[in-house]
Structures are given as structure tokens and as C-alpha cells.
Amino acid sequence: MAGTEAALRSLAHNVRAARTRAGLSLDELGRRAQVSKGALVALEKAQGNPNFATLVRLADTLGVSVSALLEGPAQGRVRVVAADAVMPLWAGEKGSEARLMLTTSGPAPVEVWRWRLEPGEEYPSHPHQAGVVETVSVTDGRMTLVVDGTEHSVEAGQTAAFDGTVPHTYRGAGTGTCHLIMTVHLPPGPGAA
């Protein structure tokens, strides 16, 4: 429970700081991100439990990565993260899940995700901010990647890259569990050279 409370405090601090840097009021952030002002007030007070879609909309609107909203204080030069040390940000009814392992630093950060997709289970993602590119590298099993309405089969040993600014869906395919590593390449932030 203490870990959850600390994570909520970090999220509250990071959202408030990013909103202030962007010069947005709670009302304006809520309008742009399609999140109620009440939910934002609760979030900035480290209360509530925002879902993954809300975090993505907030990050996109604020021009930061999802993990930038979630991360605590900096930890030194090398950061090693074990999958079981990171809570899933999305869990499906059939046992699928997505864990945001880490985000690289620098002017154009990259989010590294570990996904498990059960057969037939899917996660539809809304379009991201301009300049976002995603890759999916299947390490075991098979998935169907739907990008802007077109289905693509991606199997173990294959990697696909696509424009994340269009609707896209990840779906488990075949008869076994699909394991994949997804990267989200974010555009350079404000002031990056």
C-alpha cells in the first residue's frame, strides 16, 4: 500500500508540474485531455485511481511521456527494472497486460513496454500526439496489429513500426500467449535542439 501511495504522490506532483510548465489551468487541461476537472483536482491531490487511457491523454496533452508522469526521483546513471517490480498499467479480462518498464531520458524519449496478449484479447489505443512512432517486437507467439483499420500479422522474431498518430489496436492471435516488447518513440520536447 505504501508503494501505491508513493506512486500517487509522484503522479500528482508530476502532473501539476507539467501542467504549470505548459501554462495550463485545470479547466484547460481537462478540456484538451477530455478529463473532468474533478478528476484532475483529485489526481493533483494524490487521490483516485486514473486509468491507463486517462494517463495517455494527459501525457499527450502535456507533451510528456506516460512514465514522466509516473516516475519518482532520478536514480543514477544505470537503471535496471525487473518486470515484476512494475505494476501493469493495463490488464485484460483474459490475463493480458501491459507494463511500462522505463522511459529513456534526453530530448526525444523512448518508452519501453512489456506486453502479454492472450488469444483474442485486444487493446485499442487512441491516436497519439504528432510525431509519435511505435514499434512492436514479438518475442513469442503471434499478434494482430491493426493500424488505421488495416490488420497486420506479426509473429515471433518479427518487428513492426508504425505511425502512432492514427488509431491502432494490439490483439493476441493464434492459440498461445503472445509476448512482445513495444517502444513508443516520442518527438523532441519543447526547447530540444
Side-chain angles (χ1 to χ4, degrees):
M1 191 61 131
T4 302
E5 290 171 7
L8 281 173
R9 282 193 305 275
S10 290
L11 176 63
H13 173 269
N14 294 338
V15 168
R16 188 172 35 258
R19 181 177 62 77
T20 301
R21 278 192 309 273
L24 297 175
S25 67
L26 284 167
D27 287 324
E28 184 61 15
L29 176 58
R31 185 187 67 74
R32 291 183 186 184
Q34 300 175 359
V35 176
S36 74
K37 181 179 178 181
L40 288 174
V41 168
L43 192 144
E44 288 193 4
K45 289 183 177 180
Q47 300 169 346
N49 186 17
N51 66 32
F52 178 55
T54 298
L55 292 176
V56 170
R57 286 195 311 273
L58 286 171
D60 281 350
T61 301
L62 293 167
V64 299
S65 67
V66 172
S67 65
L69 294 180
L70 298 171
E71 64 192 12
Q75 299 179 350
R77 295 185 135 189
V78 176
R79 185 171 165 203
V80 177
V81 180
D84 60 356
V86 179
M87 295 297 296
L89 287 180
W90 171 74
E93 292 180 6
K94 297 179 181 178
S96 298
E97 65 179 27
R99 296 173 189 255
L100 176 57
M101 301 305 296
L102 59 84
T103 300
T104 62
S105 59
V110 176
E111 295 178 348
V112 179
W113 292 79
R114 186 177 297 267
W115 284 72
R116 182 177 72 222
L117 290 171
E118 296 301 329
E121 192 155 40
E122 66 180 34
Y123 178 81
S125 180
H126 76 284
H128 298 294
Q129 64 180 309
V132 171
V133 174
E134 292 192 21
T135 68
V136 290
S137 296
V138 176
T139 58
D140 190 36
R142 185 164 50 101
M143 71 174 291
T144 300
L145 172 64
V146 184
V147 178
D148 208 14
T150 302
E151 293 188 2
H152 306 272
S153 180
V154 186
E155 300 179 9
Q158 295 181 325
T159 299
F162 61 96
D163 178 354
T165 63
V166 297
H168 49 283
T169 299
Y170 320 106
R171 182 183 315 129
T175 58
T177 302
C178 176
H179 295 271
L180 63 109
I181 303 297
M182 179 184 74
T183 60
V184 180
H185 303 259
L186 302 164

mmCIF file of all heavy atoms in Angstrom, residues 72-123:
data_model
loop_
_atom_site.group_PDB
_atom_site.id
_atom_site.type_symbol
_atom_site.label_atom_id
_atom_site.label_comp_id
_atom_site.label_asym_id
_atom_site.label_seq_id
_atom_site.Cartn_x
_atom_site.Cartn_y
_atom_site.Cartn_z
ATOM 1 N N GLY A 72 9.411 8.552 -10.122
ATOM 2 C CA GLY A 72 9.825 9.217 -8.897
ATOM 3 C C GLY A 72 11.138 9.949 -9.135
ATOM 4 O O GLY A 72 11.524 10.208 -10.274
ATOM 5 N N PRO A 73 11.854 10.243 -8.073
ATOM 6 C CA PRO A 73 13.133 10.949 -8.201
ATOM 7 C C PRO A 73 14.145 10.156 -9.043
ATOM 8 O O PRO A 73 14.110 8.936 -9.088
ATOM 9 C CB PRO A 73 13.628 11.063 -6.747
ATOM 10 C CG PRO A 73 12.429 10.802 -5.898
ATOM 11 C CD PRO A 73 11.504 9.958 -6.704
ATOM 12 N N ALA A 74 15.045 10.867 -9.698
ATOM 13 C CA ALA A 74 16.080 10.244 -10.535
ATOM 14 C C ALA A 74 16.921 9.279 -9.712
ATOM 15 O O ALA A 74 17.126 9.466 -8.517
ATOM 16 C CB ALA A 74 16.969 11.316 -11.140
ATOM 17 N N GLN A 75 17.443 8.224 -10.390
ATOM 18 C CA GLN A 75 18.133 7.173 -9.669
ATOM 19 C C GLN A 75 19.586 6.968 -10.048
ATOM 20 O O GLN A 75 20.132 5.990 -9.798
ATOM 21 C CB GLN A 75 17.422 5.837 -9.915
ATOM 22 C CG GLN A 75 16.018 5.787 -9.452
ATOM 23 C CD GLN A 75 15.391 4.451 -9.757
ATOM 24 O OE1 GLN A 75 15.936 3.630 -10.475
ATOM 25 N NE2 GLN A 75 14.234 4.225 -9.202
ATOM 26 N N GLY A 76 20.268 7.743 -10.705
ATOM 27 C CA GLY A 76 21.655 7.461 -11.033
ATOM 28 C C GLY A 76 21.830 7.140 -12.504
ATOM 29 O O GLY A 76 20.913 7.250 -13.298
ATOM 30 N N ARG A 77 23.038 6.705 -12.869
ATOM 31 C CA ARG A 77 23.389 6.530 -14.277
ATOM 32 C C ARG A 77 22.780 5.318 -14.946
ATOM 33 O O ARG A 77 22.474 5.356 -16.120
ATOM 34 C CB ARG A 77 24.902 6.461 -14.409
ATOM 35 C CG ARG A 77 25.562 7.746 -14.027
ATOM 36 C CD ARG A 77 27.020 7.656 -14.280
ATOM 37 N NE ARG A 77 27.383 8.899 -14.936
ATOM 38 C CZ ARG A 77 28.525 9.138 -15.461
ATOM 39 N NH1 ARG A 77 29.445 8.220 -15.468
ATOM 40 N NH2 ARG A 77 28.779 10.297 -16.012
ATOM 41 N N VAL A 78 22.674 4.218 -14.241
ATOM 42 C CA VAL A 78 22.130 2.992 -14.831
ATOM 43 C C VAL A 78 20.872 2.612 -14.064
ATOM 44 O O VAL A 78 20.889 2.553 -12.833
ATOM 45 C CB VAL A 78 23.154 1.834 -14.778
ATOM 46 C CG1 VAL A 78 22.533 0.554 -15.301
ATOM 47 C CG2 VAL A 78 24.408 2.193 -15.569
ATOM 48 N N ARG A 79 19.826 2.348 -14.799
ATOM 49 C CA ARG A 79 18.566 1.961 -14.177
ATOM 50 C C ARG A 79 18.180 0.590 -14.693
ATOM 51 O O ARG A 79 18.001 0.395 -15.888
ATOM 52 C CB ARG A 79 17.493 2.982 -14.539
ATOM 53 C CG ARG A 79 16.190 2.757 -13.862
ATOM 54 C CD ARG A 79 15.276 3.935 -14.120
ATOM 55 N NE ARG A 79 13.927 3.579 -13.771
ATOM 56 C CZ ARG A 79 12.864 4.162 -14.239
ATOM 57 N NH1 ARG A 79 12.994 5.149 -15.084
ATOM 58 N NH2 ARG A 79 11.671 3.776 -13.873
ATOM 59 N N VAL A 80 18.084 -0.371 -13.802
ATOM 60 C CA VAL A 80 17.685 -1.734 -14.142
ATOM 61 C C VAL A 80 16.312 -1.960 -13.525
ATOM 62 O O VAL A 80 16.125 -1.747 -12.328
ATOM 63 C CB VAL A 80 18.705 -2.772 -13.614
ATOM 64 C CG1 VAL A 80 18.238 -4.172 -13.918
ATOM 65 C CG2 VAL A 80 20.084 -2.507 -14.202
ATOM 66 N N VAL A 81 15.363 -2.385 -14.358
ATOM 67 C CA VAL A 81 13.993 -2.563 -13.892
ATOM 68 C C VAL A 81 13.559 -3.996 -14.173
ATOM 69 O O VAL A 81 13.634 -4.464 -15.305
ATOM 70 C CB VAL A 81 13.030 -1.584 -14.602
ATOM 71 C CG1 VAL A 81 11.610 -1.769 -14.105
ATOM 72 C CG2 VAL A 81 13.491 -0.147 -14.405
ATOM 73 N N ALA A 82 13.126 -4.693 -13.140
ATOM 74 C CA ALA A 82 12.598 -6.047 -13.294
ATOM 75 C C ALA A 82 11.102 -5.963 -13.588
ATOM 76 O O ALA A 82 10.403 -5.126 -13.026
ATOM 77 C CB ALA A 82 12.833 -6.863 -12.023
ATOM 78 N N ALA A 83 10.623 -6.829 -14.490
ATOM 79 C CA ALA A 83 9.213 -6.801 -14.892
ATOM 80 C C ALA A 83 8.280 -6.934 -13.693
ATOM 81 O O ALA A 83 7.250 -6.265 -13.623
ATOM 82 C CB ALA A 83 8.925 -7.888 -15.912
ATOM 83 N N ASP A 84 8.650 -7.767 -12.721
ATOM 84 C CA ASP A 84 7.753 -7.971 -11.577
ATOM 85 C C ASP A 84 7.787 -6.806 -10.581
ATOM 86 O O ASP A 84 6.996 -6.759 -9.649
ATOM 87 C CB ASP A 84 8.047 -9.293 -10.874
ATOM 88 C CG ASP A 84 9.458 -9.392 -10.322
ATOM 89 O OD1 ASP A 84 10.270 -8.471 -10.542
ATOM 90 O OD2 ASP A 84 9.762 -10.408 -9.670
ATOM 91 N N ALA A 85 8.686 -5.843 -10.805
ATOM 92 C CA ALA A 85 8.749 -4.670 -9.938
ATOM 93 C C ALA A 85 7.848 -3.543 -10.446
ATOM 94 O O ALA A 85 7.672 -2.538 -9.774
ATOM 95 C CB ALA A 85 10.184 -4.169 -9.848
ATOM 96 N N VAL A 86 7.254 -3.729 -11.636
ATOM 97 C CA VAL A 86 6.436 -2.701 -12.260
ATOM 98 C C VAL A 86 4.999 -3.207 -12.360
ATOM 99 O O VAL A 86 4.755 -4.271 -12.924
ATOM 100 C CB VAL A 86 6.972 -2.366 -13.673
ATOM 101 C CG1 VAL A 86 6.118 -1.315 -14.344
ATOM 102 C CG2 VAL A 86 8.423 -1.923 -13.610
ATOM 103 N N MET A 87 4.076 -2.449 -11.828
ATOM 104 C CA MET A 87 2.667 -2.832 -11.884
ATOM 105 C C MET A 87 2.140 -2.666 -13.308
ATOM 106 O O MET A 87 2.513 -1.716 -13.991
ATOM 107 C CB MET A 87 1.829 -1.956 -10.950
ATOM 108 C CG MET A 87 2.150 -2.135 -9.482
ATOM 109 S SD MET A 87 1.815 -3.801 -8.878
ATOM 110 C CE MET A 87 0.057 -3.884 -9.102
ATOM 111 N N PRO A 88 1.261 -3.566 -13.753
ATOM 112 C CA PRO A 88 0.658 -3.385 -15.081
ATOM 113 C C PRO A 88 -0.171 -2.102 -15.121
ATOM 114 O O PRO A 88 -0.871 -1.781 -14.166
ATOM 115 C CB PRO A 88 -0.257 -4.602 -15.236
ATOM 116 C CG PRO A 88 0.197 -5.590 -14.221
ATOM 117 C CD PRO A 88 0.809 -4.787 -13.105
ATOM 118 N N LEU A 89 -0.059 -1.357 -16.232
ATOM 119 C CA LEU A 89 -0.894 -0.182 -16.425
ATOM 120 C C LEU A 89 -2.189 -0.545 -17.131
ATOM 121 O O LEU A 89 -3.117 0.244 -17.170
ATOM 122 C CB LEU A 89 -0.146 0.883 -17.227
ATOM 123 C CG LEU A 89 0.956 1.592 -16.471
ATOM 124 C CD1 LEU A 89 1.640 2.617 -17.354
ATOM 125 C CD2 LEU A 89 0.407 2.265 -15.220
ATOM 126 N N TRP A 90 -2.220 -1.725 -17.730
ATOM 127 C CA TRP A 90 -3.446 -2.239 -18.328
ATOM 128 C C TRP A 90 -3.477 -3.740 -18.107
ATOM 129 O O TRP A 90 -2.459 -4.410 -18.239
ATOM 130 C CB TRP A 90 -3.505 -1.944 -19.829
ATOM 131 C CG TRP A 90 -4.646 -2.645 -20.508
ATOM 132 C CD1 TRP A 90 -5.968 -2.321 -20.437
ATOM 133 C CD2 TRP A 90 -4.568 -3.811 -21.341
ATOM 134 N NE1 TRP A 90 -6.716 -3.214 -21.178
ATOM 135 C CE2 TRP A 90 -5.876 -4.133 -21.752
ATOM 136 C CE3 TRP A 90 -3.520 -4.612 -21.780
ATOM 137 C CZ2 TRP A 90 -6.163 -5.222 -22.562
ATOM 138 C CZ3 TRP A 90 -3.812 -5.696 -22.595
ATOM 139 C CH2 TRP A 90 -5.129 -5.983 -22.980
ATOM 140 N N ALA A 91 -4.639 -4.243 -17.736
ATOM 141 C CA ALA A 91 -4.835 -5.679 -17.584
ATOM 142 C C ALA A 91 -6.159 -6.043 -18.242
ATOM 143 O O ALA A 91 -7.182 -5.394 -17.987
ATOM 144 C CB ALA A 91 -4.848 -6.078 -16.114
ATOM 145 N N GLY A 92 -6.130 -7.056 -19.107
ATOM 146 C CA GLY A 92 -7.331 -7.505 -19.788
ATOM 147 C C GLY A 92 -8.054 -8.567 -18.984
ATOM 148 O O GLY A 92 -7.512 -9.137 -18.040
ATOM 149 N N GLU A 93 -9.269 -8.844 -19.380
ATOM 150 C CA GLU A 93 -10.096 -9.820 -18.666
ATOM 151 C C GLU A 93 -9.580 -11.249 -18.813
ATOM 152 O O GLU A 93 -9.842 -12.094 -17.974
ATOM 153 C CB GLU A 93 -11.541 -9.736 -19.157
ATOM 154 C CG GLU A 93 -12.217 -8.440 -18.777
ATOM 155 C CD GLU A 93 -13.652 -8.355 -19.265
ATOM 156 O OE1 GLU A 93 -14.164 -9.348 -19.812
ATOM 157 O OE2 GLU A 93 -14.251 -7.281 -19.090
ATOM 158 N N LYS A 94 -8.822 -11.535 -19.888
ATOM 159 C CA LYS A 94 -8.321 -12.893 -20.136
ATOM 160 C C LYS A 94 -6.898 -13.095 -19.633
ATOM 161 O O LYS A 94 -6.300 -14.134 -19.864
ATOM 162 C CB LYS A 94 -8.374 -13.207 -21.630
ATOM 163 C CG LYS A 94 -9.779 -13.212 -22.208
ATOM 164 C CD LYS A 94 -9.742 -13.511 -23.695
ATOM 165 C CE LYS A 94 -11.135 -13.497 -24.292
ATOM 166 N NZ LYS A 94 -11.098 -13.738 -25.747
ATOM 167 N N GLY A 95 -6.319 -12.075 -18.982
ATOM 168 C CA GLY A 95 -4.967 -12.211 -18.447
ATOM 169 C C GLY A 95 -3.908 -11.426 -19.194
ATOM 170 O O GLY A 95 -2.735 -11.458 -18.825
ATOM 171 N N SER A 96 -4.284 -10.712 -20.231
ATOM 172 C CA SER A 96 -3.318 -9.860 -20.936
ATOM 173 C C SER A 96 -2.913 -8.708 -20.031
ATOM 174 O O SER A 96 -3.650 -8.339 -19.107
ATOM 175 C CB SER A 96 -3.946 -9.301 -22.223
ATOM 176 O OG SER A 96 -4.300 -10.324 -23.108
ATOM 177 N N GLU A 97 -1.738 -8.133 -20.307
ATOM 178 C CA GLU A 97 -1.293 -6.985 -19.523
ATOM 179 C C GLU A 97 -0.222 -6.209 -20.260
ATOM 180 O O GLU A 97 0.426 -6.726 -21.177
ATOM 181 C CB GLU A 97 -0.762 -7.414 -18.158
ATOM 182 C CG GLU A 97 0.486 -8.246 -18.224
ATOM 183 C CD GLU A 97 1.002 -8.640 -16.848
ATOM 184 O OE1 GLU A 97 0.213 -8.726 -15.889
ATOM 185 O OE2 GLU A 97 2.222 -8.855 -16.740
ATOM 186 N N ALA A 98 -0.054 -4.948 -19.848
ATOM 187 C CA ALA A 98 0.976 -4.070 -20.388
ATOM 188 C C ALA A 98 1.675 -3.391 -19.225
ATOM 189 O O ALA A 98 1.022 -2.838 -18.345
ATOM 190 C CB ALA A 98 0.364 -3.034 -21.320
ATOM 191 N N ARG A 99 3.009 -3.460 -19.236
ATOM 192 C CA ARG A 99 3.813 -2.835 -18.186
ATOM 193 C C ARG A 99 4.779 -1.841 -18.827
ATOM 194 O O ARG A 99 5.544 -2.215 -19.718
ATOM 195 C CB ARG A 99 4.618 -3.875 -17.418
ATOM 196 C CG ARG A 99 3.767 -4.868 -16.643
ATOM 197 C CD ARG A 99 4.634 -5.975 -16.056
ATOM 198 N NE ARG A 99 3.820 -7.032 -15.503
ATOM 199 C CZ ARG A 99 3.621 -7.229 -14.207
ATOM 200 N NH1 ARG A 99 4.216 -6.455 -13.325
ATOM 201 N NH2 ARG A 99 2.846 -8.212 -13.794
ATOM 202 N N LEU A 100 4.749 -0.606 -18.367
ATOM 203 C CA LEU A 100 5.698 0.400 -18.805
ATOM 204 C C LEU A 100 6.963 0.204 -17.986
ATOM 205 O O LEU A 100 6.994 0.493 -16.788
ATOM 206 C CB LEU A 100 5.130 1.806 -18.615
ATOM 207 C CG LEU A 100 6.046 2.966 -18.942
ATOM 208 C CD1 LEU A 100 6.549 2.899 -20.376
ATOM 209 C CD2 LEU A 100 5.327 4.286 -18.699
ATOM 210 N N MET A 101 8.016 -0.321 -18.625
ATOM 211 C CA MET A 101 9.241 -0.666 -17.910
ATOM 212 C C MET A 101 10.059 0.571 -17.563
ATOM 213 O O MET A 101 10.539 0.714 -16.456
ATOM 214 C CB MET A 101 10.070 -1.649 -18.735
ATOM 215 C CG MET A 101 9.343 -2.955 -19.050
ATOM 216 S SD MET A 101 8.724 -3.823 -17.600
ATOM 217 C CE MET A 101 10.255 -4.217 -16.781
ATOM 218 N N LEU A 102 10.247 1.446 -18.540
ATOM 219 C CA LEU A 102 11.007 2.669 -18.304
ATOM 220 C C LEU A 102 10.907 3.577 -19.509
ATOM 221 O O LEU A 102 10.434 3.170 -20.567
ATOM 222 C CB LEU A 102 12.474 2.384 -17.980
ATOM 223 C CG LEU A 102 13.319 1.622 -19.007
ATOM 224 C CD1 LEU A 102 13.894 2.528 -20.068
ATOM 225 C CD2 LEU A 102 14.461 0.918 -18.293
ATOM 226 N N THR A 103 11.351 4.805 -19.326
ATOM 227 C CA THR A 103 11.455 5.772 -20.415
ATOM 228 C C THR A 103 12.864 6.315 -20.407
ATOM 229 O O THR A 103 13.390 6.675 -19.352
ATOM 230 C CB THR A 103 10.449 6.923 -20.239
ATOM 231 O OG1 THR A 103 9.130 6.379 -20.220
ATOM 232 C CG2 THR A 103 10.556 7.933 -21.363
ATOM 233 N N THR A 104 13.469 6.357 -21.582
ATOM 234 C CA THR A 104 14.818 6.911 -21.669
ATOM 235 C C THR A 104 14.748 8.419 -21.486
ATOM 236 O O THR A 104 13.713 9.034 -21.706
ATOM 237 C CB THR A 104 15.468 6.588 -23.032
ATOM 238 O OG1 THR A 104 14.695 7.193 -24.071
ATOM 239 C CG2 THR A 104 15.568 5.091 -23.252
ATOM 240 N N SER A 105 15.871 9.002 -21.078
ATOM 241 C CA SER A 105 15.916 10.452 -20.933
ATOM 242 C C SER A 105 16.475 11.047 -22.218
ATOM 243 O O SER A 105 16.864 10.335 -23.123
ATOM 244 C CB SER A 105 16.778 10.831 -19.723
ATOM 245 O OG SER A 105 18.082 10.322 -19.896
ATOM 246 N N GLY A 106 16.481 12.345 -22.279
ATOM 247 C CA GLY A 106 17.010 13.027 -23.454
ATOM 248 C C GLY A 106 15.930 13.803 -24.172
ATOM 249 O O GLY A 106 14.764 13.802 -23.771
ATOM 250 N N PRO A 107 16.305 14.464 -25.255
ATOM 251 C CA PRO A 107 15.363 15.342 -25.940
ATOM 252 C C PRO A 107 14.212 14.609 -26.645
ATOM 253 O O PRO A 107 13.158 15.181 -26.849
ATOM 254 C CB PRO A 107 16.232 16.089 -26.955
ATOM 255 C CG PRO A 107 17.446 15.257 -27.115
ATOM 256 C CD PRO A 107 17.638 14.518 -25.822
ATOM 257 N N ALA A 108 14.423 13.354 -27.037
ATOM 258 C CA ALA A 108 13.370 12.562 -27.695
ATOM 259 C C ALA A 108 13.266 11.216 -26.979
ATOM 260 O O ALA A 108 13.823 10.214 -27.417
ATOM 261 C CB ALA A 108 13.683 12.379 -29.176
ATOM 262 N N PRO A 109 12.549 11.160 -25.862
ATOM 263 C CA PRO A 109 12.490 9.943 -25.050
ATOM 264 C C PRO A 109 11.841 8.766 -25.770
ATOM 265 O O PRO A 109 11.058 8.938 -26.698
ATOM 266 C CB PRO A 109 11.656 10.349 -23.842
ATOM 267 C CG PRO A 109 11.424 11.800 -23.934
ATOM 268 C CD PRO A 109 11.749 12.242 -25.307
ATOM 269 N N VAL A 110 12.176 7.563 -25.304
ATOM 270 C CA VAL A 110 11.576 6.328 -25.809
ATOM 271 C C VAL A 110 11.011 5.573 -24.603
ATOM 272 O O VAL A 110 11.719 5.348 -23.628
ATOM 273 C CB VAL A 110 12.614 5.450 -26.540
ATOM 274 C CG1 VAL A 110 11.999 4.114 -26.965
ATOM 275 C CG2 VAL A 110 13.198 6.183 -27.747
ATOM 276 N N GLU A 111 9.727 5.210 -24.682
ATOM 277 C CA GLU A 111 9.117 4.365 -23.660
ATOM 278 C C GLU A 111 9.332 2.915 -24.051
ATOM 279 O O GLU A 111 9.191 2.558 -25.216
ATOM 280 C CB GLU A 111 7.603 4.613 -23.565
ATOM 281 C CG GLU A 111 7.238 6.001 -23.099
ATOM 282 C CD GLU A 111 5.736 6.219 -23.076
ATOM 283 O OE1 GLU A 111 4.983 5.384 -23.639
ATOM 284 O OE2 GLU A 111 5.304 7.236 -22.500
ATOM 285 N N VAL A 112 9.668 2.075 -23.087
ATOM 286 C CA VAL A 112 9.842 0.640 -23.318
ATOM 287 C C VAL A 112 8.767 -0.101 -22.523
ATOM 288 O O VAL A 112 8.702 0.020 -21.302
ATOM 289 C CB VAL A 112 11.253 0.162 -22.902
ATOM 290 C CG1 VAL A 112 11.402 -1.336 -23.132
ATOM 291 C CG2 VAL A 112 12.326 0.942 -23.647
ATOM 292 N N TRP A 113 7.935 -0.840 -23.247
ATOM 293 C CA TRP A 113 6.807 -1.565 -22.663
ATOM 294 C C TRP A 113 6.997 -3.057 -22.836
ATOM 295 O O TRP A 113 7.527 -3.514 -23.844
ATOM 296 C CB TRP A 113 5.510 -1.188 -23.379
ATOM 297 C CG TRP A 113 5.052 0.214 -23.175
ATOM 298 C CD1 TRP A 113 5.527 1.336 -23.801
ATOM 299 C CD2 TRP A 113 4.012 0.644 -22.317
ATOM 300 N NE1 TRP A 113 4.845 2.433 -23.365
ATOM 301 C CE2 TRP A 113 3.895 2.037 -22.458
ATOM 302 C CE3 TRP A 113 3.157 -0.025 -21.443
ATOM 303 C CZ2 TRP A 113 2.965 2.787 -21.746
ATOM 304 C CZ3 TRP A 113 2.218 0.714 -20.745
ATOM 305 C CH2 TRP A 113 2.132 2.101 -20.897
ATOM 306 N N ARG A 114 6.511 -3.819 -21.881
ATOM 307 C CA ARG A 114 6.464 -5.284 -21.963
ATOM 308 C C ARG A 114 4.984 -5.669 -21.957
ATOM 309 O O ARG A 114 4.256 -5.327 -21.037
ATOM 310 C CB ARG A 114 7.199 -5.909 -20.782
ATOM 311 C CG ARG A 114 7.331 -7.410 -20.852
ATOM 312 C CD ARG A 114 8.130 -7.937 -19.668
ATOM 313 N NE ARG A 114 9.485 -7.443 -19.653
ATOM 314 C CZ ARG A 114 10.526 -8.074 -20.196
ATOM 315 N NH1 ARG A 114 10.358 -9.214 -20.811
ATOM 316 N NH2 ARG A 114 11.724 -7.565 -20.113
ATOM 317 N N TRP A 115 4.555 -6.378 -23.017
ATOM 318 C CA TRP A 115 3.152 -6.760 -23.177
ATOM 319 C C TRP A 115 3.001 -8.272 -23.179
ATOM 320 O O TRP A 115 3.872 -8.989 -23.674
ATOM 321 C CB TRP A 115 2.600 -6.259 -24.520
ATOM 322 C CG TRP A 115 2.286 -4.807 -24.581
ATOM 323 C CD1 TRP A 115 3.187 -3.784 -24.628
ATOM 324 C CD2 TRP A 115 0.996 -4.199 -24.620
ATOM 325 N NE1 TRP A 115 2.525 -2.586 -24.697
ATOM 326 C CE2 TRP A 115 1.177 -2.815 -24.701
ATOM 327 C CE3 TRP A 115 -0.300 -4.714 -24.609
ATOM 328 C CZ2 TRP A 115 0.114 -1.926 -24.761
ATOM 329 C CZ3 TRP A 115 -1.354 -3.820 -24.672
ATOM 330 C CH2 TRP A 115 -1.140 -2.442 -24.742
ATOM 331 N N ARG A 116 1.856 -8.719 -22.665
ATOM 332 C CA ARG A 116 1.417 -10.109 -22.798
ATOM 333 C C ARG A 116 -0.010 -10.043 -23.320
ATOM 334 O O ARG A 116 -0.871 -9.403 -22.712
ATOM 335 C CB ARG A 116 1.460 -10.834 -21.452
ATOM 336 C CG ARG A 116 1.048 -12.303 -21.573
ATOM 337 C CD ARG A 116 1.156 -13.056 -20.257
ATOM 338 N NE ARG A 116 0.085 -12.624 -19.366
ATOM 339 C CZ ARG A 116 0.242 -12.382 -18.080
ATOM 340 N NH1 ARG A 116 1.419 -12.498 -17.505
ATOM 341 N NH2 ARG A 116 -0.787 -12.002 -17.337
ATOM 342 N N LEU A 117 -0.251 -10.671 -24.479
ATOM 343 C CA LEU A 117 -1.583 -10.686 -25.080
ATOM 344 C C LEU A 117 -2.083 -12.112 -25.163
ATOM 345 O O LEU A 117 -1.431 -12.975 -25.759
ATOM 346 C CB LEU A 117 -1.549 -10.091 -26.493
ATOM 347 C CG LEU A 117 -1.301 -8.587 -26.609
ATOM 348 C CD1 LEU A 117 -1.075 -8.199 -28.068
ATOM 349 C CD2 LEU A 117 -2.471 -7.810 -26.034
ATOM 350 N N GLU A 118 -3.234 -12.360 -24.581
ATOM 351 C CA GLU A 118 -3.858 -13.676 -24.676
ATOM 352 C C GLU A 118 -4.643 -13.761 -25.981
ATOM 353 O O GLU A 118 -5.080 -12.733 -26.512
ATOM 354 C CB GLU A 118 -4.761 -13.921 -23.466
ATOM 355 C CG GLU A 118 -4.017 -13.961 -22.142
ATOM 356 C CD GLU A 118 -2.941 -15.035 -22.067
ATOM 357 O OE1 GLU A 118 -3.097 -16.091 -22.715
ATOM 358 O OE2 GLU A 118 -1.938 -14.820 -21.362
ATOM 359 N N PRO A 119 -4.819 -14.967 -26.531
ATOM 360 C CA PRO A 119 -5.526 -15.118 -27.803
ATOM 361 C C PRO A 119 -6.902 -14.447 -27.777
ATOM 362 O O PRO A 119 -7.677 -14.644 -26.847
ATOM 363 C CB PRO A 119 -5.660 -16.641 -27.960
ATOM 364 C CG PRO A 119 -4.532 -17.198 -27.154
ATOM 365 C CD PRO A 119 -4.375 -16.260 -25.993
ATOM 366 N N GLY A 120 -7.151 -13.627 -28.775
ATOM 367 C CA GLY A 120 -8.442 -12.969 -28.918
ATOM 368 C C GLY A 120 -8.623 -11.714 -28.093
ATOM 369 O O GLY A 120 -9.564 -10.952 -28.308
ATOM 370 N N GLU A 121 -7.736 -11.456 -27.145
ATOM 371 C CA GLU A 121 -7.874 -10.257 -26.328
ATOM 372 C C GLU A 121 -7.156 -9.099 -27.020
ATOM 373 O O GLU A 121 -6.107 -9.272 -27.619
ATOM 374 C CB GLU A 121 -7.293 -10.478 -24.931
ATOM 375 C CG GLU A 121 -7.663 -9.370 -23.977
ATOM 376 C CD GLU A 121 -7.644 -9.801 -22.535
ATOM 377 O OE1 GLU A 121 -6.741 -10.549 -22.135
ATOM 378 O OE2 GLU A 121 -8.548 -9.392 -21.802
ATOM 379 N N GLU A 122 -7.749 -7.904 -26.911
ATOM 380 C CA GLU A 122 -7.154 -6.771 -27.610
ATOM 381 C C GLU A 122 -7.185 -5.509 -26.766
ATOM 382 O O GLU A 122 -7.970 -5.382 -25.828
ATOM 383 C CB GLU A 122 -7.856 -6.524 -28.944
ATOM 384 C CG GLU A 122 -9.289 -6.078 -28.850
ATOM 385 C CD GLU A 122 -9.911 -5.861 -30.229
ATOM 386 O OE1 GLU A 122 -9.566 -6.581 -31.178
ATOM 387 O OE2 GLU A 122 -10.743 -4.955 -30.340
ATOM 388 N N TYR A 123 -6.287 -4.602 -27.138
ATOM 389 C CA TYR A 123 -6.242 -3.287 -26.531
ATOM 390 C C TYR A 123 -6.288 -2.252 -27.649
ATOM 391 O O TYR A 123 -5.354 -2.142 -28.441
ATOM 392 C CB TYR A 123 -4.975 -3.087 -25.695
ATOM 393 C CG TYR A 123 -4.933 -1.690 -25.116
ATOM 394 C CD1 TYR A 123 -5.651 -1.391 -23.966
ATOM 395 C CD2 TYR A 123 -4.233 -0.675 -25.748
ATOM 396 C CE1 TYR A 123 -5.660 -0.095 -23.454
ATOM 397 C CE2 TYR A 123 -4.240 0.619 -25.244
ATOM 398 C CZ TYR A 123 -4.953 0.901 -24.095
ATOM 399 O OH TYR A 123 -4.975 2.174 -23.592
#
